Amino acid sequence: AVVSTQSTGGTTVPDLFIVGDFNLPLYDWLTGTVDPIDQPLYSVMESFSGFNSLSQMVHKPTRGENYLDLVFTNRPDYVLNTDVEDEGISDHRSVYCTLGFNATVFFIER
């Protein structure tokens, strides 16, 4: 979801929140490492995250001991809290993310 945009050095950069089941169980999101290292999909995710200045905000496992259901954003300052609860409706735990920002609404008169 794109929440808003910010201008940086003449370039407009959207505020990004990308959430979902990424199914990358070999990635250790706490240390930023992959074992084994030679995993092309993981390299793509690392490159994409780095290029877009994305931070991963979920800090507890969401299925077994794996971090699969993730929240990425380039605006971690908007994230007040993330939590993982056992009350999932599947074999995954539920992820809750609380955002704190004031949305600006623009009206265009015609």
Side-chain angles (χ1 to χ4, degrees), residues 87-103:
E87 59 190 53
I89 58 173
S90 71
D91 58 340
H92 292 237
R93 295 178 187 98
S94 296
V95 176
Y96 296 91
C97 183
T98 306
L99 303 177
F101 57 88
N102 293 321

Side-chain angles (χ1 to χ4, degrees), residues 5-14:
T5 59
Q6 58 185 343
S7 182
T8 307
T11 305
T12 300
V13 179

